[in-house]
Amino acid sequence: MLTVREAIIVEGRYDKIKLGGLVNAVIIETGGFRVFSDREKQALIRRIAAKNGILVLTDSDGAGFVIRNFLRGVVPPEQIKHCYVPQVRGKEKRKAHAGKEGLLGVEGMTDEMILRAIRQSGATILGETAAPKQPITKADLCALGLAGGQNAARNRQKLLRHLDLPTYLSANAMLAALNCLYSKEELTALLQEADIQ
């Protein structure tokens, strides 16, 4: 079981239950879109973020990104980290039908997927030390053909699909996700693997 310093923000009760068996951390559920109008929940998230920081772990569908972007406006950027799970087609066992976009939510991810995502998000895991890695920069994205160039948007989409990352990511959000998941060397190898020049 991982012990995480930051509070983990999830969308709902089943996400919280899933994480509760994997991590020792404060886990706060947003209640989905209810967080938009719940001033008390927003104040709680701000207070916890100021003390320990927060780690946002929402589903990889459109609704998850709306909630994630809302929280970016609630908490100062230095107090928030983002954890991304891959886009995986399917439905959770407890549901009769797949969600609107046909993607698994956090509760449907394997334990390994969630733990890997948390480890690679930059979360402070107590008792584990990771070697610092050189971050991927916006200039690197330009040099690799993922930003600012003629085929940059096409290359980003191709890479996101290859990595099973949410296709909703803007260039800046993709940069944050890549820095959570990969080193610069790994990214270069992945571009070759995905046949992106």
Side-chain angles (χ1 to χ4, degrees), residues 119-169:
R119 280 195 169 97
Q120 295 179 328
S121 69
T124 308
I125 300 172
L126 304 178
E128 288 187 17
T129 55
K133 62 180 183 180
Q134 186 179 7
I136 302 164
T137 66
K138 198 77 174 249
D140 294 326
L141 293 186
C142 290
L144 295 169
L146 297 170
Q150 184 177 1
N151 296 319
R154 180 184 57 81
N155 289 343
R156 280 195 307 273
Q157 287 298 307
K158 191 173 180 182
L159 179 63
L160 289 169
R161 279 192 295 279
H162 179 72
L163 300 177
D164 288 325
L165 286 172
T167 53
Y168 305 103
L169 297 179

Side-chain angles (χ1 to χ4, degrees), residues 5 29 41 53 74 89 95 105-106 116 126-127 132 179 185:
R5 180 179 186 268
E29 57 183 281
K41 177 82 52 114
V74 171
R89 295 228 159 266
K95 294 181 179 177
V106 170
R116 180 173 190 241
L126 304 178
N179 272 310
E185 294 76 25

